Amino acid sequence: MDRDAVGTAGLGRLRVEVRQVGDSAVFTPSGELDHHTADVLAEPLGAAVDAGTTRLVIDCADLAFCDSTGLNVLLGARLRVEAIGGAVHLAAMRPTVARVFEITGAETVFTVHDTLDQALQG
C-alpha cells in the first residue's frame, strides 16, 4: 500500500459487498476505510440495523486500512445493534487493521474471529 495515498480522496477506494448468510448480515469492505470513505460502510450498516438485523459480521480480509473515522463507524454500528439485542462480529483482520483496534482498545468491545467461517458459526 502506498502510504502517500492514504487519506486522499478518490472514488472507488472502498467497496462494500453485503449479503445475508443465515441470520447474519455479512459486510465485506475492500480497500481503505477512512474519513473519505466511511459512509460507504456506514450506510449499509445503518440500513441493516434499521431493518432489524441483530447479527452483523464484518469480513475484514480485504480491508487494507482503517483510521479513527472507520473505527467510529464500527463502534457506532455496535452501539446501535446492541441497543436492539444484537452484536457486531469482526473477522479476518489484517495485521495493519488489527493494530488500530489493539492500540485503541476497541478489540475488547467487539467479538473478533480469526476467520469468516468462525464468525458465522456463532
Side-chain angles (χ1 to χ4, degrees):
M1 177 173 70
D2 180 4
R3 290 190 60 83
D4 293 333
V6 173
T8 60
L11 295 176
R13 285 198 15 239
L14 183 72
R15 291 179 318 282
V16 178
E17 175 188 322
V18 182
R19 66 189 187 282
Q20 192 72 28
V21 179
D23 65 345
S24 300
V26 179
F27 302 82
T28 305
S30 299
E32 300 174 7
L33 178 57
D34 61 24
H35 172 74
H36 299 285
T37 62
D39 286 344
V40 176
L41 181 58
E43 290 173 8
L45 285 171
V49 175
D50 290 344
T53 304
T54 58
R55 193 163 199 289
L56 309 178
V57 175
I58 316 299
D59 177 4
C60 300
D62 293 329
L63 189 59
F65 176 80
C66 180
D67 73 359
S68 61
T69 305
L71 180 59
N72 282 329
V73 165
L74 296 171
L75 289 167
R78 177 189 153 267
L79 288 175
R80 287 193 63 207
V81 78
E82 283 184 355
I84 60 171
V88 173
H89 298 260
L90 304 176
M93 281 195 282
R94 291 179 176 186
T96 54
V97 173
R99 184 75 176 130
V100 172
F101 285 79
E102 292 167 12
I103 290 170
T104 62
E107 68 192 14
T108 63
V109 299
F110 290 99
T111 304
V112 180
H113 305 272
D114 290 334
T115 68
L116 178 59
D117 287 340
Q118 289 173 351
L120 292 173
Q121 288 176 7

